[in-house]
């Protein structure tokens, strides 16, 4: 492993990163191979997570193809040298900013969208011309195999290196020096990564998790709120970093809201979601056991069915949940939706703000004043008003967390910028040499003040 990483480092030291033309060719080749292997990728995701064809295309394969197309369209503009103005006091110099690749970067990915979350940062890092070590998750076994094979079809091992393994192997990798670490995973492991990065003074992007609130106010369209909540919560069987973690609904609307949740779950996945092609599976029986143990039997209004054999956990809704319940302690990261109630919107906002800042936040309302107010009062990575999850699908919106939910962001142009160093340069001429800056300074201060004033 060390030798393989050294190869990347030596190549970087000798020839630097990928030229603009190489990046373009590599991205085109990557797009082509993904298109050719679409069926195999779908099959892998079906085995790993029970993902249906529609979800696989929208959130994994199609998502990455969209990323590549967007990068190809904008790459030359993003990588252009950018001229900026220069103050008169520095005349006749000119100033500009030169984007350059960071060097050898490490990408660590989780298992929940294993294809998207390995390849989306990779597209950003390639667009910016870096050499890359990619470590997909040890849990999404079949997808990791196909990622390795696609990467090996497109890149040499001095361009992109895929390493495999779990916690201990990752910690070995983290002992090496990288020029940037891009980590997607839990807040707890994010701290491990940041500590290791500090040893080499390596900058990090941390895309972490947390409990993302789904807040409904008195004016909200309850049916649409419930429908979009079910959609965002139960896609990928709840194993989505930006899924609504819990619902906060006015006490007076609780009954109607939970009833609409039940109706939409049935509309989407039928009376028995276990036989629906569109409903996924837990990544492992260990993960399912953790989730199963979280469900208080006396608070189930919908679902609660567990099948360890098939790694199935039914879409589950819980009622009569308070802030002190165990389920409100950490990120759920599975298809369990606790519904909490409130009577005063300010109090609900206070409760949200009393907890770590979430990765996502969703607010359903028809009242513009409430939208403005809640947006200004709640801090979160990103989110939606009157929708869930889809903020991720806009290339123009940088995606990332804040506080405990992460640092840094990516998607669209921001992916290129995350993996780029912007080198600031002032170019002067030796043909003109204004004497005021040189000592002796006697009698020059007034002139300096005039120039800088
Ligand atoms: P994880 O933190 O357990 O693992 C992420 C990566 O770190 C994996 O590659 C894993 O092999 C490695 N790893 C695990 N334990 C390690 C350790 N002790 N030392 C070093 N490396 C270690 O996360 P996960 O279970 O794969 O994914 C679930 C978490 O990821 C959830 O918290 C979820 O919210 C978060 N997530 C965040 C985003 C985002 O974009 N912000 C996206 C998906 C998932």
């Amino acid at each position: 492993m060390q030798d393989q990483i050294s190869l990347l480092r030596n190549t970087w030291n000798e020839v630097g990163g990928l030229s603009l033309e190489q990046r373009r060719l590599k991205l085109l080749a990557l797009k082509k191979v993904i298109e050719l292997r679409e069926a195999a990728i779908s099959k892998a995701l079906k085995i790993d997570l029970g993902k249906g064809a529609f979800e696989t295309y929208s959130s994994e394969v199609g998502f990455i193809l969209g990323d590549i197309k967007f990068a190809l369209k904008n790459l030359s503009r993003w990588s252009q040298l950018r001229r900026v103005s220069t103050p008169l006091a520095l005349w006749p110099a000119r100033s500009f900013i030169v984007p350059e690749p960071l060097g050898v970067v490490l990408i660590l990915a989780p298992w929940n969208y294993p294809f998207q979350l390995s390849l989306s940062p990779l597209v950003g890092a390639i667009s910016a011309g870096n050499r890359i070590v990619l470590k997909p998750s040890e849990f999404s076994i079949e997808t990791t195999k196909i990622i390795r094979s696609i990467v090996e079809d497109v890149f040499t091992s001095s361009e992109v290196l895929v390493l495999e393994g779990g916690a201990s192997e990752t910690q070995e990798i983290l002992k090496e020096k990288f020029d940037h670490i891009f980590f997607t995973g839990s807040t707890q492991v994010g701290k491990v990564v940041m500590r290791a990065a500090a040893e080499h003074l390596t900058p990090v992007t941390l895309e972490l998790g947390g409990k993302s609130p789904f807040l409904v106010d008195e004016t909200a369209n309850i049916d649409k709120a419930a429908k979009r909540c079910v959609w965002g919560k139960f896609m990928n069987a709840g194993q989505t970093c930006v899924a609504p973690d819990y619902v906060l609904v006015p006490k007076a609307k609780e009954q109607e809201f939970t009833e609409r949740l039940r109706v939409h779950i049935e509309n989407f996945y039928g009376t028995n979601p276990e036989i629906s092609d569109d409903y996924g599976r837990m990544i492992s029986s260990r993960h399912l056991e953790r989730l199963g143990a979280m469900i208080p039997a006396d608070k189930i209004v919908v679902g609660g069915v567990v099948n360890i054999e098939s790694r199935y956990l039914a879409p589950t809704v819980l009622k009569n949940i308070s802030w002190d319940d165990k389920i409100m302690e950490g990120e759920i990261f599975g298809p369990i939706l606790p519904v909490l109630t409130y009577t005063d919107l300010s109090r609900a906002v206070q409760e949200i703000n009393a907890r770590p800042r979430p990765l996502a936040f969703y607010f359903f309302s028809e009242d513009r004043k409430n939208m403005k107010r809640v947006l200004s009062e709640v801090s979160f990575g990103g989110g939606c008003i009157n929708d869930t999850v889809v903020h991720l699908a806009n290339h123009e919106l940088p995606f990332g967390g804040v506080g405990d939910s992460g640092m840094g962001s990516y998607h669209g142009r921001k992916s290129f910028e995350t993996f780029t160093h912007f080198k600031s340069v002032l170019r002067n001429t030796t043909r003109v040499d204004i004497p005021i800056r040189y000592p002796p300074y006697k009698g020059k201060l007034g002139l300096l003040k005039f120039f800088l004033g």
Side-chain angles (χ1 to χ4, degrees):
M1 179 269 283
Q2 279 157 329
D3 290 348
Q4 288 173 297
I5 299 175
S6 296
L7 174 67
L8 265 97
R9 174 62 63 196
N10 293 339
T11 315
W12 168 261
N13 290 342
E14 281 159 27
V15 298
L18 276 62
S19 70
L20 197 53
E21 195 45 27
Q22 282 172 320
R23 301 175 207 179
R24 209 176 273 125
L25 291 173
K26 290 291 169 186
L27 288 175
L28 279 168
L30 183 61
K31 179 169 164 284
K32 201 165 169 198
V33 174
I34 293 173
E35 282 164 350
L36 284 172
R37 315 278 300 269
E38 189 190 328
I41 302 165
S42 291
K43 193 172 162 205
L45 286 159
K46 188 80 192 168
I47 299 171
D48 285 336
L49 286 149
K51 275 193 205 204
F54 188 94
E55 267 191 31
T56 288
Y57 195 82
S58 62
S59 65
E60 305 262 15
V61 177
F63 192 100
I64 295 302
L65 293 176
D67 264 8
I68 298 175
K69 281 183 216 153
F70 193 73
L72 282 168
K73 194 169 141 212
N74 292 290
L75 195 51
S76 44
R77 190 164 51 87
W78 293 338
S79 22
Q80 260 165 23
L81 169 153
R82 189 154 53 89
R83 293 183 195 289
V84 292
S85 64
T86 308
L88 187 62
L90 296 172
W91 185 88
R94 293 274 182 271
S95 306
F96 47 90
I97 298 168
V98 192
E100 66 176 16
L102 294 174
V104 179
V105 300
L106 172 65
I107 296 171
L108 298 172
W111 50 260
N112 61 328
Y113 288 83
F115 192 74
Q116 183 207 129
L117 297 172
S118 295
L119 291 197
S120 185
L122 182 126
V123 169
I126 286 294
S127 304
N130 295 276
R131 298 189 183 273
I132 301 160
V133 176
L134 168 65
K135 212 291 293 170
S137 172
E138 68 279 27
F139 286 105
S140 41
I141 299 165
E142 295 303 317
T143 315
T144 294
K145 275 188 208 156
I146 193 111
I147 289 171
R148 171 189 279 284
S149 131
I150 288 173
V151 166
E152 287 175 358
D153 277 357
V154 177
F155 300 97
T156 67
S157 56
S158 63
E159 290 165 347
V160 181
L161 172 67
V162 177
L163 294 176
E164 291 183 38
S168 58
E169 289 82 1
T170 309
Q171 282 168 19
E172 280 307 304
I173 299 171
L174 284 168
K175 288 183 186 155
E176 300 297 312
K177 179 173 167 59
F178 295 96
D179 300 302
H180 192 89
I181 300 176
F182 187 102
F183 170 80
T184 308
S186 60
T187 300
Q188 189 194 348
V189 179
K191 291 179 186 173
V192 174
V193 170
M194 198 167 172
R195 267 196 291 272
E199 273 307 307
H200 297 289
L201 226 55
T202 300
V204 290
T205 300
L206 300 178
E207 297 283 340
L208 311 177
K211 283 184 98 59
S212 298
F214 181 101
L215 177 63
V216 181
D217 80 0
E218 288 283 348
T219 69
N221 178 326
I222 292 294
D223 178 59
K224 288 292 180 319
K227 189 176 189 179
R228 293 179 183 178
C229 182
V230 169
W231 180 76
K233 176 73 185 185
F234 298 112
M235 67 167 62
N236 202 26
Q239 301 162 111
T240 303
C241 57
V242 288
D245 186 274
Y246 62 92
V247 169
L248 268 168
V249 64
K251 181 77 193 144
K253 306 274 181 183
E254 181 194 19
Q255 189 62 35
E256 185 189 351
F257 187 79
T258 47
E259 176 51 25
R260 296 317 293 166
L261 288 176
R262 198 189 55 70
V263 168
H264 290 300
I265 290 172
E266 199 172 312
N267 288 346
F268 288 2
Y269 306 113
T271 44
N272 179 10
E274 193 166 3
I275 54 168
S276 162
D277 284 340
D278 298 322
Y279 188 71
R281 293 292 178 271
M282 302 303 100
I283 186 72
S284 76
S285 43
R286 211 188 77 207
H287 288 80
L288 174 54
E289 277 160 22
R290 177 187 75 88
L291 288 162
M294 277 183 174
I295 305 174
D298 56 333
K299 298 192 174 175
I300 300 171
V301 259
V302 183
V305 180
V306 174
N307 183 347
I308 293 281
E309 288 269 284
S310 60
R311 290 184 278 127
Y312 168 77
L313 174 51
T316 298
V317 178
L318 304 176
K319 221 173 131 176
N320 299 326
I321 298 292
S322 79
W323 293 104
D324 302 325
D325 275 275
K326 204 161 166 31
I327 194 114
M328 294 307 294
E329 275 171 19
E331 181 184 8
I332 297 169
F333 211 56
I336 309 170
L337 183 67
V339 178
L340 286 84
T341 60
Y342 69 88
T343 44
D344 171 22
L345 188 62
S346 305
R347 190 85 195 99
V349 166
Q350 273 170 22
E351 289 288 2
I352 293 169
N353 287 341
R355 287 162 177 82
R357 291 193 268 170
L359 179 62
F361 173 72
Y362 305 112
F363 183 50
F364 276 73
S365 173
E366 298 299 321
D367 182 317
R368 291 224 163 228
K369 266 200 241 123
N370 276 359
M371 291 179 198
K372 214 171 149 194
R373 181 184 142 198
V374 167
L375 264 193
S376 76
E377 289 177 9
V378 181
S379 177
F380 54 93
C384 306
I385 291 176
N386 291 329
D387 216 325
T388 54
V389 179
V390 288
H391 57 297
L392 258 86
N394 182 353
H395 291 299
E396 302 297 335
L397 292 176
F399 173 67
V402 58
D404 283 20
S405 58
M407 60 184 72
S409 56
Y410 72 130
H411 285 187
R413 185 186 189 124
K414 194 73 196 161
S415 289
F416 175 84
E417 291 175 353
T418 289
F419 289 103
T420 296
H421 169 59
F422 291 92
K423 194 158 59 181
S424 295
V425 182
L426 182 142
R427 191 191 64 220
N428 212 337
T429 170
T430 50
R431 270 178 272 156
V432 183
D433 200 15
I434 299 169
I436 173 179
R437 72 150 104 161
Y438 302 112
Y441 293 123
K442 195 158 186 282
K444 292 180 178 171
L445 188 59
L447 203 54
L448 176 73
K449 285 186 179 170
F450 172 77
F451 266 121
L452 297 183

